[in-house]
Amino acid sequence: MRKEHFLYEAEELRKSLHQMIDEKIDELIMSANDTEGEAFPGTMESSFQFGTFKGKKAVGIRFPEGKEQEVSTWKEAAVVILRDCIQDTGMHQRLLELCGRVFGRTRVLLSGEPDSMDRPVQIDDGIYLETYFETDVLFRLLREKIFDFIGYDYSGIRVLYRARS
């Protein structure tokens, strides 16, 4: 009985691993097809999955309408996306309303004044973003505490990257 159970579990594990490998290979093939002939070597989904930034360097942002903007850091990528967000008048107003009211753990994330921030970056008149966070934390905070809260659709935005050399 134990042997049968062990063999069953081993076969289930084999199926699971084969499926996982097939999915990863499909992702790699699709990524290679998507970026063929482009200036940017890879595309990372903008769902900002935790840990996906490790060992990678941001090189650009591709917006849903096809516009691309070159960046050299993850912080710059976050700022470019936030500046795109404020192009919409409604989003701009919502961000202004969030200033001083949305926090990381203890620090304010958006503020109307840079004085109380460690590494503020001006997004627009009266809107500063605190950028003194690790990359994955910064993007998680942007997604959960700003974009999702104000209803900004970032699903079509692609962060373009390459492996760190």
Side-chain angles (χ1 to χ4, degrees):
M1 182 94 132
R2 284 187 178 185
K3 182 178 178 182
E4 290 173 358
H5 180 70
F6 173 79
L7 292 175
Y8 173 79
E9 290 294 320
E11 192 57 39
E12 290 299 308
L13 178 61
R14 179 194 322 254
K15 288 177 188 175
S16 173
L17 289 172
H18 280 270
Q19 181 179 0
M20 191 182 322
I21 290 168
D22 288 344
E23 289 171 1
K24 290 294 181 186
I25 290 173
D26 288 345
E27 286 176 22
L28 286 171
I29 290 169
M30 289 187 66
S31 176
N33 289 339
D34 288 345
T35 60
E36 200 169 287
E38 294 178 3
F40 300 109
T43 302
M44 180 167 40
E45 297 297 317
S46 66
S47 59
F48 309 131
Q49 296 297 320
F50 307 125
T52 56
F53 304 116
K54 303 256 188 257
K56 297 175 178 79
K57 179 171 176 42
V59 295
I61 304 294
R62 182 180 304 128
F63 293 96
E65 68 278 359
K67 176 182 84 171
E68 291 184 354
Q69 184 166 342
E70 194 171 323
V71 298
S72 57
T73 65
W74 288 110
K75 178 168 81 171
E76 187 181 357
V79 169
V80 164
I81 295 168
L82 198 50
R83 285 185 177 148
D84 178 73
C85 173
I86 65 170
Q87 298 306 307
D88 178 292
T89 309
M91 295 296 162
H92 187 270
Q93 185 58 39
R94 290 180 193 144
L95 285 174
L96 282 171
E97 292 168 4
L98 281 181
C99 284
R101 298 175 54 202
V102 61
F103 290 81
R105 251 188 214 157
T106 57
R107 287 176 288 165
V108 67
L109 188 57
L110 283 177
S111 180
E113 300 287 329
D115 302 337
S116 64
M117 303 174 106
D118 292 324
R119 290 204 187 129
V121 173
Q122 187 170 13
I123 304 302
D124 196 36
D125 291 337
I127 302 177
Y128 293 85
L129 173 69
E130 173 63 77
T131 61
Y132 191 58
F133 296 100
E134 289 195 22
T135 301
D136 57 338
V137 173
L138 176 61
F139 276 86
R140 181 177 54 82
L141 291 171
L142 281 173
R143 186 188 71 208
E144 293 176 0
K145 298 213 175 184
I146 297 177
F147 294 150
D148 289 347
F149 187 78
I150 66 172
Y152 177 65
D153 181 13
Y154 54 84
S155 64
I157 298 172
R158 299 295 176 255
V159 180
L160 308 168
Y161 68 89
R162 65 176 168 78
R164 241 183 239 287
S165 37

